[in-house]
Amino acid sequence: MSDLVPPHGGGSLRPLLGSLASRGETLRRAERLKKVPMTSREISDLFMLGMGAYTPLAGFMGHDDWRASVTDMRLADGTFWPIPITLSLARSIADGLAVGEEVALADAETGEILGQMVVREKYTIDRDFECRHVFRTTDSRHPGVEKVMRQGEVNIGGPVVVISEGEYPAKYKELYLRPEETRAEFERRGWKQVAAFQTRNPMHRSHEHLAKIAAEVTDGVFIHQVLGKLKAGDIPAEVRTRAIQAMIDNYFKPNIAIQAGYPIEMRYAGPREALIHALIRQNFGCSHLVVGRDHAGVGSYYGPLDAQHVFDELWEGALLCKPLKIDVTFYCYKCAGMATGKTCPHDHKHHLSVSGTRQREMLSKGEEVPAEFSRPEVVAILREYYGSLGKE
Ligand SMILES: [Zn+2]
């Protein structure tokens, strides 16, 4: 019996990736089926299903699970689930599919077949209704809302078998760990309580401080990178990984921090997204998730602490992975050290604050980066990256 937190839903992990031996045959069968095109977000969800990160889901949601997850943050059987996981099609495509039909799930851009699905249900969705509940807004300038509004108007639900994880395993190698693998690694290290720290960025000292606070109260910290589609201007995963590793190697004791990455695509749903991030981390074997200010938010759609408070609204037993609620972190010149918004009494003018734009400027122009802001080992890697951009 493992000492780690059990997977979500009360059963075993449910990876939907077919065995290596069976994938060739499944693919040959799928090639004869009608192809259903998937967007990048849907593909990311398929990969999450494949690796077991969405345990206990068996595929894309049918109507009752979709509706219950939207309104009540649960599946039709009562299991906690805060964001619908769905596959949408244009009506013209959906009309050509029969309930009970097997279909091939394909990348809309490349045509590559990534999975197979049995269409158990077809249902029309009210996109405004979904967005109002999940995103708390129907404003199409919100990037998550915008994607839902662009979806086809018919959802198809049913069980899936994942045939391919795309380029992830080859591209990210040791970084691409599935829940079964992280659980085995935590056990090998003797970790029982594990705190997940989600990041899309290289880690500066404020992030390092957050991760260290988490490590102080658990057995280890699991630094987990978002590997899904990047926004323009984001630092590539390979550079980010090296920068994070430099921080771990130089500023953490051995056996206290691990980094890995997973194929999620951000929805920017703020509080609801913080909840699903915790659910996913429970499947990876983490007992805690660091939830800072503005977790998974965008613009000013959510209050800075909404993603922390939403955990208090859950019912008993909904989610076993608990939030580590930590306030904003920074270097304070009066405290003469790293501090948080919760405990530092000093005015903002004593806090070191560097905007994203200013960081890029300092790194690409070779300006000195304050040691209170970022570690020199991290700065060296980022400088090299920004320097290489100029030469292209
Ligand atoms: Zn202070």
Side-chain angles (χ1 to χ4, degrees):
M1 208 25 211
S2 169
D3 289 318
L4 296 169
V5 67
H8 184 55
S12 317
L13 277 176
R14 195 168 193 180
L16 303 179
L17 181 64
S19 70
L20 202 54
S22 69
R23 272 181 243 166
E25 178 54 28
T26 314
L27 179 61
R28 273 189 294 281
R29 274 168 39 83
E31 276 164 351
R32 295 192 293 268
L33 303 171
K34 283 179 201 151
K35 271 191 187 181
V36 165
M38 306 175 88
T39 63
S40 70
R41 199 209 72 212
E42 290 162 345
I43 294 168
S44 136
D45 285 337
L46 183 74
F47 293 157
M48 294 288 283
L49 289 163
M51 62 167 26
Y54 283 162
T55 296
L57 298 187
F60 288 105
M61 287 180 178
H63 175 269
D64 293 354
D65 284 339
W66 167 75
R67 193 182 166 86
S69 73
V70 169
T71 56
D72 301 325
M73 301 203 290
R74 54 179 97 208
L75 303 176
D77 71 3
T79 306
F80 172 68
W81 202 280
I83 286 189
I85 304 300
T86 55
L87 176 55
S88 306
L89 296 176
R91 186 173 293 283
S92 56
I93 301 176
D95 281 348
L97 305 177
V99 169
E101 185 171 351
E102 282 184 81
V103 294
L105 304 176
D107 183 324
E109 282 178 28
T110 65
E112 186 191 355
I113 295 176
L114 302 170
Q116 189 193 352
M117 171 175 168
V118 181
V119 182
R120 286 270 162 76
E121 282 182 51
K122 297 197 281 184
Y123 56 100
T124 310
I125 53 163
D126 179 341
R127 289 174 286 203
D128 267 31
F129 164 84
E130 178 174 326
C131 290
R132 221 168 28 247
H133 283 276
V134 174
F135 297 101
R136 301 185 180 180
T137 173
T138 54
D139 184 349
S140 60
R141 283 169 299 182
H142 182 296
V145 170
E146 193 263 338
K147 275 187 197 165
V148 173
M149 294 303 184
R150 254 197 294 129
Q151 277 173 204
E153 54 197 313
V154 181
N155 279 1
I156 57 172
V160 306
V161 176
V162 180
I163 299 172
S164 164
E165 296 180 290
E167 62 177 7
Y168 282 101
K171 186 169 176 188
Y172 297 108
K173 300 191 181 71
E174 314 84 62
L175 195 65
Y176 191 72
L177 295 179
R178 303 168 187 86
E180 278 167 350
E181 294 161 336
T182 57
R183 285 174 170 273
E185 180 60 21
F186 298 158
E187 284 181 7
R188 193 184 68 74
R189 290 170 178 249
W191 292 3
K192 294 173 183 162
Q193 301 270 302
V194 184
F197 179 84
Q198 153 128 346
T199 182
R200 285 176 284 146
N201 298 303
M203 291 171 71
H204 300 295
R205 290 198 58 189
S206 57
H207 309 112
E208 177 189 323
H209 192 59
L210 276 171
K212 281 184 168 160
I213 294 172
E216 291 293 345
V217 295
T218 55
D219 298 317
V221 61
F222 179 56
I223 297 171
H224 212 192
Q225 291 198 36
V226 176
L227 298 177
K229 210 171 183 181
L230 297 175
K231 292 199 306 292
D234 279 355
I235 292 177
E238 175 272 319
V239 178
R240 225 166 37 185
T241 303
R242 280 199 294 130
I244 292 173
Q245 200 57 46
M247 177 200 71
I248 294 175
D249 292 344
N250 290 287
Y251 299 95
F252 284 76
K253 267 191 171 175
N255 199 28
I256 202 74
I258 303 177
Q259 72 161 325
Y262 74 133
I264 202 169
E265 189 168 307
M266 296 286 291
R267 285 167 163 84
Y268 303 99
R272 290 266 194 138
E273 188 143 348
L275 293 173
I276 203 161
H277 283 170
L279 182 163
I280 292 164
R281 269 34 175 268
Q282 185 180 325
N283 286 328
F284 276 92
C286 301
S287 55
H288 294 83
L289 172 71
V290 174
V291 182
R293 279 194 168 234
D294 291 317
H295 187 100
V298 63
S300 51
Y301 294 99
Y302 312 105
L305 300 178
D306 286 0
Q308 297 186 349
H309 294 326
V310 73
F311 285 86
D312 305 332
E313 295 163 18
L314 301 185
W315 59 96
E316 185 67 30
L319 188 60
L320 302 179
C321 177
K322 300 299 176 195
L324 282 178
K325 302 173 183 176
I326 308 179
D327 208 324
V328 61
T329 51
F330 44 77
Y331 187 90
C332 171
Y333 289 99
K334 277 235 162 183
C335 289
M338 297 306 298
T340 75
K342 186 172 179 183
T343 54
C344 163
H346 305 118
D347 188 83
H348 283 300
K349 66 176 188 238
H350 302 295
H351 300 164
L352 175 63
S353 144
V354 183
S355 72
T357 319
R358 183 75 188 103
Q359 277 175 47
R360 279 191 293 279
E361 215 173 69
M362 290 191 303
L363 290 163
S364 50
K365 291 184 179 160
E367 289 175 42
E368 195 173 335
V369 176
E372 295 85 357
F373 177 71
S374 195
R375 300 294 191 182
E377 295 85 350
V378 172
V379 170
I381 290 165
L382 297 179
R383 251 198 225 303
E384 183 194 314
Y385 165 68
Y386 282 107
S388 73
L389 284 185
K391 293 190 195 86
E392 273 166 19

